[in-house]
Amino acid sequence: MRSAATTPEAYLEQLPADRRAALAAVRNVILANLPNGFEESMASGLIVYGVASQRIATPNAQALWYVALAAQKNYNSLYLMSVYGNKDHERRLRDAFAKAGKKLDMGKSCIRFHEADELPLHVIGELIASVSVEKWIAIFEASRRKPTKRGNA
């Protein structure tokens, strides 16, 4: 479900009450744990938490996404970009779901859910809090560097 909302509040207001409640609960966890330097905005029809484009040059001249939140057609999505690029974060997330007896429905960085109580919110908050904006920029910049060629010397 793509939204034309220009603010996270407007985005949430347009949702049915049950979807609004689920996303609002996850949003509260994100906002409570988001390190300084990340900002909340709307992009591509999602609520996005990222590094302002003025701080770093991104290919699309938008914020460098760190976390995103959206209501899709049949489920809600929480995008944790650090889980995609960090095996320790992925392991911690998988372990938290298993320990809580919850089913993890995840793509590369997208966790699909219907209700907020399907998520181990305390661990999600810890993962979000664990990467500073400076570290996230460094991870992004390292991923953009071309590997050096190693010739036969």
Side-chain angles (χ1 to χ4, degrees), residues 7-153:
T7 67
E9 292 78 13
Y11 181 85
L12 293 173
E13 284 179 23
Q14 73 183 9
L15 298 174
D18 59 333
R19 305 287 293 278
R20 183 179 325 119
L23 264 61
V26 177
R27 179 181 180 230
N28 288 340
V29 170
I30 294 168
L31 290 172
N33 290 281
L34 198 64
N36 291 334
F38 289 105
E39 60 183 29
E40 182 182 56
S41 63
M42 293 296 300
S44 300
L46 300 97
I47 302 174
V48 174
Y49 304 87
V51 181
S53 61
Q54 295 85 356
R55 289 197 57 191
I56 183 167
T58 58
N60 59 7
Q62 293 182 1
L64 172 60
W65 293 15
Y66 177 53
V67 178
L69 190 58
Q72 305 296 350
K73 184 176 180 181
N74 296 314
Y75 53 86
N76 298 313
S77 296
L78 171 64
Y79 300 88
L80 294 176
M81 308 321 174
S82 70
V83 171
Y84 175 64
N86 183 313
K87 292 297 179 194
D88 179 57
H89 276 210
E90 181 182 352
R91 180 193 50 77
R92 287 174 56 194
L93 182 68
R94 289 185 184 282
D95 289 350
F97 269 89
K99 185 176 179 180
K102 298 175 185 289
K103 181 180 181 280
L104 175 59
D105 182 3
M106 185 172 86
K108 291 182 179 182
S109 71
C110 171
I111 301 167
R112 293 173 284 276
F113 66 99
H114 294 93
E115 302 293 330
D117 65 2
E118 296 173 17
L119 305 172
L121 291 173
H122 66 288
V123 173
I124 288 170
E126 290 171 5
L127 290 173
I128 290 168
S130 71
V131 180
S132 69
V133 73
E134 291 78 14
K135 184 174 180 181
W136 191 241
I137 291 170
I139 290 167
F140 170 75
E141 288 175 340
S143 75
R144 306 291 295 169
R145 289 190 197 114
K146 293 181 180 179
T148 59
K149 289 186 177 181
R150 295 182 184 216
N152 296 334

